Amino acid sequence: MNLLCCCCGNMAPNTRITRKWELFAGRNKFYCDGLLMSAPHTGVFYLTCILITGTSALFFAFDCPFLATRINPIIPIVGAVLYFFTMSSLLRTTFTDPGVIPRASHDEAAYIEKQIEVPNSLNSPTYRPPPRTKEVLVKGQTVKLKYCFTCKIFRPPRASHCSLCDNCVDRFDHHCPWVGNCVGKRNYRFFYLFLVSLAFLAVFIFSCSVTHLVLLMKAEQEIFEVIKKAPFTVIVVFICFFSIWSVIGLAGFHTYLTTSDQTTNEDLKGSFSSKGGQRSINPYSRGNICLNCCHILCGPMTPSLIDRRGIATDDYILQMQQHSSPRHPLSDVMSASHVGSSGMVTAQPVIAGVSTGINVGGNDIKNRLYEESNASSATLGASNGIYRPRSYDNLQNAPELIQPLLDDGNSNSLAHLVDNEIPLSQMDVPQTQTAQMQRQFRHHKDRVQTSSSDSNNIINTFDSNECNPDDVIEIVGKSEVVVAVAAIAATSQARERQNRSDSYNNLFYSDSGPANAKSNTLPSSVSAIESFDKESPDLPQENNAVNLSASVDMKDSGDLPEQTESTNEKQKSNLLKPISQIENVYSNVLQSGAPCAKHVDSNPSLHVYSNLMDEQKQHELTLQMNKQYKQLAQKNITSAGVMLSSALLNDDLDLDDPVSASFVAQENVDSSFLSANGKVCDSSMSGLNRLRMLNNTTMINTALDLDSLDGSSLGNNSQSCLVKEAPPLS
Amino acid sequence: MSLHRPIVLDFLETSKKKMSPTKKKKMSQGLTSLQGGSNKVFIQRDYSEGTSVKFHTRLPSELEGLIERQVFESTINRLNEFFAEAEKGSCSTYCEGCIGCITAYLVYMCSETHYEKTLRKISKFIASQNERVYNPKGLQVIDPTYRGLRVIEISVLDRPGRT
């Protein structure tokens, strides 16, 4: 949806008004030009409708005529009134905004970040993340407000993030699939009325149908005769009998909740129960059953806060686009691609790198750009763990996962900083340096020559990259790719979810943001130096990470058992070379001024792959210990292959999805990697194997990564450095 | 006029996109300083009296020197009063709710609720305050309704003076 708007904004002037619901960040469905909204999946809601309507229709068709004549003509009228009341409250529940709290605009999120920022001493090795909870006093009771990483706000008390709708909902009760919507502050009364009226309707229909059967029994004296005479009445009785208990139970439960002014969420969590001798009283209750009921059911209702039908102004679009950051590069890319390939070269060095690598027409470049960006997001997503739930709420409940959560929080927290840093670094680099860097960037070979001081490893890497683009087209029909594509289907669901999550946007920024890269440079290289100091005291501690990583490579291949963080470092640095050539990350490298940046900068994003590499490398090492250079080249290539498979997982992109849409295209380049892979080390592994290995190892390695993330972890380092280093570098 | 509007919007949007790097640069340069980052100040909600809408009346440090404390506090207090009035459970609001409930909430399609009326009053009040007090001081208060009643956004305009 967002993409659509973005496209419209760039391609052709809008001839119609864009309303805010079209830019809505959550996953809700909207109907009637934003008048109505519901949860993304409404299948069960239709089942509810059919059940209620069907049962009532059978009742009206087969029971009512008999009862109206035999007992009282008022019965059908009462039934009809109950039915319409039930249905209207059901529809009202489903299509009303449950009280979605709009996400913070870019500026507001940045402001919050600034407010909660913890002063970090300049030379402390670890970055202290800002606290992600805030305690407030509500009527004398301490209430913890959690920060919502998706909405970029501290959730108000009683609000909760619905992972299905991907929104924070005020006074969140629960997400009810039966009504096809969240139940929150704004539609709780409808929901409650629906339950109560449905309970009445069910009891009414049940009793009437039973009466019908009893009267028939009196006449017929034979139960089979009765069933034969009124089969539908029997069906209605059965349906009502089984549904009546759950409905009445639920209505009773919600009556209790209403009288005590609690939500289902709070009741399940036991927020106000007497636990551990310390009884916490519900601070929201008005202290009186009647008052609670009145206020919840008849009190003033807050208008919808998301202003669905409001016209999205340019300012609004800008704010929301900056908020969901990864689309921002897209807009640049897209506008550049409109200008044409020549325009792209001047627009961004990143694109220049791609266009030099792949000699194709403007349209093709555009497609490739799409895919590249998609793949980059895929890389990042994978680094975050494919199976990670998209909502951090889930994580927060699990204490053992707090560490990753915090780390994510870090990267999130820095999203804005990094975001802000990008242009800064682009502009503030001394011109001569920039020019030199750009030249280096545009021509890999040039760069290889200029950085001739680098080890042969790197040159090998570059060479393997260089030959890639030529092979791109050849590989398309190969069976490897076909197999990989087949596997996509299975994982596409998970991937789509992961891509959709906004939280990854931040990750992207923090990973690929130049500032971050800059900052990342120092500590990780330092750590690498430290870890290898023991083994190689003669290693010069230069800032030239190229040399460093090269030497690290040699060291590491010598003693692999010591697969510590430093190994990862090295692997990443290897990996990075190919990747960074095509990714946005590269631009950072240039501005950061130090060549080391390109080797370490996108480390966090590559964790998974680097781990994979470890395994592969181990395997390979057993086979060929001595041939380091060869092996290194192969490693690079296999890594590219792994990347490809993961990129393929993200292959079918959802153009509705801003995140995936913004990065559409590293994939081609990846496939170029694969092609090189297929040529150079075809015998090493088949695409399927790689894919499977990726699947098998991703989880484990992610877990390992998370374990290793204490203290000197990469993620932390990256941010710490960001904070500390950004000022001097800028 | 209405036909031309979207096109104008579009142009603005694209031009803003082109301008965004400079804006970002400005923002990032001020990152380390407290004042920088953005020229907007957000007044957060005060939950001390429950979940009803209420905003902190403390003058944020960013606005010190730009506006008198009393003026600011009186504005926020007035806003809080408005919101309290909107959320107050009086007889009339309960009747309104009951009538809505009985008519299956069809009545809301025809008439505005008490809350909506109050919100209208609030935006009117904010507009007048902007005109009389804040704009001359180079500030602009944005209706909290536009920010989901989460915050009051006060943007510091670049050049003080009447706009």
Side-chain angles (χ1 to χ4, degrees), chain A residues 310-332:
Chain A
I311 294 162
T313 60
D314 50 343
D315 188 45
Y316 177 83
I317 294 169
L318 193 75
Q319 283 284 319
M320 282 350 230
Q321 277 181 350
Q322 283 183 348
H323 172 206
S324 50
S325 22
R327 216 171 42 259
H328 195 64
L330 171 69
S331 55
D332 290 344

Side-chain angles (χ1 to χ4, degrees), chain A residues 395-403:
Chain A
L395 285 175
Q396 271 172 332
N397 294 333
E400 69 270 17
L401 288 174
I402 277 178
Q403 180 61 36

Side-chain angles (χ1 to χ4, degrees), chain A residues 255-266:
Chain A
T255 308
Y256 155 72
L257 290 181
T258 308
T259 51
S260 58
D261 201 343
Q262 290 184 59
T263 65
T264 310
N265 198 23
E266 287 159 353

Side-chain angles (χ1 to χ4, degrees), chain A residues 9 88 92 102-103 107-108 111 114 137-139 153 156-157 190 193 298 303 305 314 328 417 419-420 423 427, chain B residues 10 12 14 17 24-25 28 31 34 36 40-42 47-48 62 86 93 97-98 101 104-105 115 119 148 150:
Chain A
S88 72
R92 195 91 201 179
R103 299 189 180 186
D107 288 341
E108 186 187 339
Y111 186 81
K114 217 169 52 187
L137 275 182
V138 179
K139 291 187 178 167
I153 53 166
F190 308 133
L193 280 176
C298 301
L305 297 177
D314 50 343
H328 195 64
L417 304 181
D419 193 10
N420 291 336
M427 299 193 172
Chain B
D10 201 64
L12 281 175
T14 46
K17 255 177 207 153
K24 272 195 193 167
K25 184 189 175 192
S28 52
L31 251 186
L34 191 72
K40 287 176 182 171
V41 179
F42 296 87
Y47 295 111
S48 60
E62 289 92 337
T93 53
C98 284
C101 170
Y105 299 99
Y115 208 120
L119 282 185
R150 257 185 295 111

